Amino acid sequence: MERAQPLPNYLAQRYHGWKATGYADNQSWYRQLAEQGQHPRAMVISCCDSRVHVTAIFGADQGEFFIHRNIANLVPPYAPDGDYHGTSAAIEYAVTALKVAHLIVLGHSSCGGVHGFHEMCHGRAPELSEKTSFVGRWIDILKPGYERLGGNDAEIDSATLEKEAVLVSMENLLTFPFVQDAVADGKLTLHGLWNDIGEGGLEYYDAKSKTFRPV
Amino acid sequence: MERAQPLPNYLAQRYHGWKATGYADNQSWYRQLAEQGQHPRAMVISCCDSRVHVTAIFGADQGEFFIHRNIANLVPPYAPDGDYHGTSAAIEYAVTALKVAHLIVLGHSSCGGVHGFHEMCHGRAPELSEKTSFVGRWIDILKPGYERLGGNDAEIDSATLEKEAVLVSMENLLTFPFVQDAVADGKLTLHGLWNDIGEGGLEYYDAKSKTFRPV
Amino acid sequence: MERAQPLPNYLAQRYHGWKATGYADNQSWYRQLAEQGQHPRAMVISCCDSRVHVTAIFGADQGEFFIHRNIANLVPPYAPDGDYHGTSAAIEYAVTALKVAHLIVLGHSSCGGVHGFHEMCHGRAPELSEKTSFVGRWIDILKPGYERLGGNDAEIDSATLEKEAVLVSMENLLTFPFVQDAVADGKLTLHGLWNDIGEGGLEYYDAKSKTFRPV
Amino acid sequence: MERAQPLPNYLAQRYHGWKATGYADNQSWYRQLAEQGQHPRAMVISCCDSRVHVTAIFGADQGEFFIHRNIANLVPPYAPDGDYHGTSAAIEYAVTALKVAHLIVLGHSSCGGVHGFHEMCHGRAPELSEKTSFVGRWIDILKPGYERLGGNDAEIDSATLEKEAVLVSMENLLTFPFVQDAVADGKLTLHGLWNDIGEGGLEYYDAKSKTFRPV
């Protein structure tokens, strides 16, 4: 890796600042975590978006949440074909090895991935339609949800599609046998959330009313 | 999604606490982020491990880092075959759409994924060797690095293998044409880091000495 | 400009050192900043004083803070009379064009401008009282704050007057219609800070207790 | 000031990090600066732009540069009319009180203020033409330079106009009697610089060739 570069100086400075304060103040906890391993209570599947920090929203410290982040917080369907499946691997590890109690899918407003999907469906993002587009193929996961909402024939606003992406991911979670089993055994619960970035809002999917409601 | 559950009460309470404090104190920034979109300066590829929070280490606020997290912070090689590739999609979005300046791979101590790989290689984790194991197939990405270190014939400690995982990911990053191009144009730099959880240590890969050195 | 001189040699040498290190290590970020423009999250109004570097205090890199610096970090009241108003122009640009989320006024200890104001009021700096003194007329902005503290009848220490200067500036900020609007819309927050140079202290104005308190 | 807000949490954290490292490591120097006052060697007039940090470019520590920053690094002509003149006050203080040896005007590429001036001249930014626009009236300072380059009849690229802004400011500096005197006495030198943000370039105005040349 001769292309590797040192850390930019301002990040090195900030790290030293954290080491002298944030780390120093919690050294005992960091050492316990290192020696005794992690025992997170929940797995969160969130977007890579720089504006959504689940640790901030829930005041979570080191050790609480096992967090997978990908474009548009999507979960592909179960497909044990021997290929690389990063999201499925993270879910498998959380449920079968760490035995988390909660599996939370966290969507959000102004999601670039969901927006790109919408543009692609309407022919306004031809580059995403190409077979070689990783983003385009990844967001194809959203298709069943989009069709269910009426597809190209319907007027679908961003928030509706973002929330549908959360539901599609939750449905796909239940195609994994180990998720099914843990849920059936009462050892795992599934939760769908949607965060309004600008307003700091948080809604959860309510199975009874089949709508997202404010937490 | 009739299996969806409301948010556990303690998480709902923490959310309301954040809304009244962390959000309220930064409402203006959240609103600007919502209206003007994200302009993160770096993408970080980190592990799902609950003990590693890159935002804490670097004092990063909402909007600074585009973060992808998967098991063992691995990047698979470029493979535009039309299948779902969540990691590749995140990298493509960060480099071609967001045009981040830095791509940081952050490994860490006591990594369960790297440990599992080692166990699997030595026949001590047969369940990971199965074709249907998502974790097992995902950590296969580490193989070229493991072989390079001597494979099963060598005594390889955890930290060495965790750092090798960072290098394998960086090498695979350079198999993506858009990463190659951005690096060649001087618009993207690659950085390899390894975090010692218990001691709060941070090392970076130094291309000149070909070793990891303290930041 | 026949009076222009080349850069002193020691500064030229330092520049070349930065180009080979600080710039080279962050070339990608500089290029992205040049191509995509700035998106700073905050405007800082600070003193010209050579001892106060807000970028150091907050570990801020290129691109984070839009910084206006003048004598004693003062903001004059809104006066759209068509004359040259450098401070007002900087505020207008930050709030209406860049749409920063935070407006921070940063005062500091041992402020020469504030000290000069005090001397002038007590007749110990007659040159500052002259109409032609730019410094004298500029620091007149402080007068409402000085009167509020009791003026010449009171014993006012330097720190108290420096902090009052921060408050006067914040009050004057709210005389600008575009600042008022952005604050009312929840898109801009105002912050008053005072830095103790020798002790590295930082205090913020707490609206509830109406005092400056340690951060 | 009931509208004042506490410092956002991430900035408070970064400050504590700096206090424990950057400040702690240089405490003796900070204390000396506090007790003995500042003795900067140069005044720098730079833009508010978040991408231009003169302290980084010249490796300047606390105490070296007295820095005034405004939109487009402009200096208005001498006008001792008793009104508020923040830029003139800063220059007066630097030259007559601090007796700096160098006065450096630092322009830069992609300057939003200079760009706005150009747009305004061509009728493409009507809001800047209004009397109430602080930015518009402030950048009027550039007019003599623009006319000299041929004005609306000429094709003027951004860099040329940005460099002309540096020259206009230097010319205006010489309209201040105390600047004239200090230069005539050989106690003050004037320097014009232009920074290419993306490439890390730095050019100085060479009075002999009447062009900007690389440092």
Side-chain angles (χ1 to χ4, degrees), chain B residues 25-29 31-32 35-36 39-41 61-64 98-102 185-189 191, chain C residues 25-29 31-32 35-36 39-41 61-64 98-102 185-189 191:
Chain B
D25 291 348
N26 292 283
Q27 186 183 56
S28 54
W29 177 235
R31 288 191 172 168
Q32 299 289 12
E35 284 186 17
Q36 300 179 38
H39 302 280
R41 66 178 79 203
D61 193 35
Q62 280 70 17
E64 279 203 88
L98 297 175
K99 297 185 189 304
V100 297
H102 307 298
D185 291 353
K187 292 182 178 168
L188 180 69
T189 51
H191 309 265
Chain C
D25 291 348
N26 293 282
Q27 186 184 56
S28 53
W29 178 236
R31 287 191 173 167
Q32 299 289 12
E35 284 186 17
Q36 300 178 40
H39 301 280
R41 66 178 77 203
D61 195 36
Q62 281 70 19
E64 279 202 271
L98 296 175
K99 299 186 189 302
V100 297
H102 307 298
D185 291 351
K187 293 184 178 167
L188 180 70
T189 52
H191 310 266

Side-chain angles (χ1 to χ4, degrees), chain A residues 108-170:
Chain A
H108 67 95
S109 62
S110 313
C111 182
V114 172
H115 179 73
F117 175 85
H118 212 181
E119 293 294 286
M120 177 177 74
C121 291
H122 282 282
R124 294 189 293 258
E127 74 284 5
L128 291 177
S129 299
E130 289 175 28
K131 185 189 168 192
T132 54
S133 167
F134 292 114
V135 173
R137 300 297 59 71
W138 177 250
I139 54 182
D140 278 346
I141 294 172
L142 238 173
K143 257 181 198 157
Y146 186 63
E147 295 305 331
R148 197 160 50 198
L149 290 171
N152 278 358
D153 296 335
E155 296 257 350
I156 307 175
D157 65 31
S158 301
T160 300
L161 197 49
E162 288 154 2
K163 291 172 184 174
E164 197 66 27
V166 171
L167 296 182
V168 167
S169 288
M170 294 176 79

Side-chain angles (χ1 to χ4, degrees), chain A:
Chain A
M1 264 316 297
E2 64 265 25
R3 303 308 296 254
Q5 300 269 342
L7 201 60
N9 193 46
Y10 77 96
L11 287 180
Q13 287 181 349
R14 286 198 204 163
Y15 156 68
H16 288 296
W18 167 79
K19 179 83 189 286
T21 52
Y23 170 75
D25 294 346
N26 293 283
Q27 189 183 54
S28 54
W29 177 235
Y30 279 107
R31 288 190 173 167
Q32 296 286 9
L33 281 174
E35 284 183 18
Q36 300 178 29
Q38 61 175 331
H39 301 281
R41 63 179 81 204
M43 176 183 186
V44 178
I45 298 173
S46 173
C47 187
C48 300
D49 195 299
S50 65
R51 299 169 294 181
V52 181
H53 288 181
V54 69
T55 50
I57 293 175
F58 291 124
D61 196 25
Q62 281 69 17
E64 281 204 85
F65 291 161
F66 184 80
I67 304 173
H68 172 60
R69 294 177 68 169
N70 65 37
I71 298 283
N73 36 273
L74 292 172
V75 174
Y78 180 66
D81 54 16
D83 285 342
Y84 300 137
H85 291 287
T87 298
S88 305
I91 297 164
E92 183 184 281
Y93 192 79
V95 175
T96 68
L98 298 173
K99 300 187 189 303
V100 298
H102 308 297
L103 228 167
I104 299 170
V105 178
L106 173 61
H108 67 95
S109 62
S110 313
C111 182
V114 172
H115 179 73
F117 175 85
H118 212 181
E119 293 294 286
M120 177 177 74
C121 291
H122 282 282
R124 294 189 293 258
E127 74 284 5
L128 291 177
S129 299
E130 289 175 28
K131 185 189 168 192
T132 54
S133 167
F134 292 114
V135 173
R137 300 297 59 71
W138 177 250
I139 54 182
D140 278 346
I141 294 172
L142 238 173
K143 257 181 198 157
Y146 186 63
E147 295 305 331
R148 197 160 50 198
L149 290 171
N152 278 358
D153 296 335
E155 296 257 350
I156 307 175
D157 65 31
S158 301
T160 300
L161 197 49
E162 288 154 2
K163 291 172 184 174
E164 197 66 27
V166 171
L167 296 182
V168 167
S169 288
M170 294 176 79
E171 285 156 8
N172 285 343
L173 278 173
L174 283 171
T175 63
F176 288 73
F178 45 82
V179 173
Q180 281 171 31
D181 291 350
V183 169
D185 292 353
K187 294 183 175 167
L188 179 69
T189 52
L190 306 188
H191 310 266
L193 299 175
W194 178 82
N195 170 227
D196 180 330
I197 292 175
E199 297 308 309
L202 190 66
E203 302 183 8
Y204 73 100
Y205 181 72
D206 176 47
K208 284 180 199 143
S209 66
K210 298 190 179 178
T211 57
F212 278 78
R213 300 163 68 104
V215 166

Side-chain angles (χ1 to χ4, degrees), chain B residues 167-184:
Chain B
L167 296 182
V168 167
S169 288
M170 294 176 79
E171 285 157 7
N172 285 345
L173 279 173
L174 283 171
T175 63
F176 288 74
F178 44 81
V179 172
Q180 280 172 31
D181 289 351
V183 169

Side-chain angles (χ1 to χ4, degrees), chain A residues 78-86 88-93 96-97 176 178, chain B residues 71 116-117 120 125-140:
Chain A
Y78 180 66
D81 54 16
D83 285 342
Y84 300 137
H85 291 287
S88 305
I91 297 164
E92 183 184 281
Y93 192 79
T96 68
F176 288 73
F178 45 82
Chain B
I71 298 282
F117 175 85
M120 176 177 75
E127 74 284 6
L128 291 178
S129 299
E130 289 174 28
K131 186 188 169 192
T132 53
S133 166
F134 292 115
V135 173
R137 300 298 59 73
W138 177 251
I139 56 182
D140 278 344

Side-chain angles (χ1 to χ4, degrees), chain D residues 136-150:
Chain D
R137 301 296 60 71
W138 177 251
I139 54 181
D140 278 346
I141 294 173
L142 238 171
K143 257 182 199 158
Y146 185 63
E147 295 305 331
R148 195 161 53 199
L149 289 171

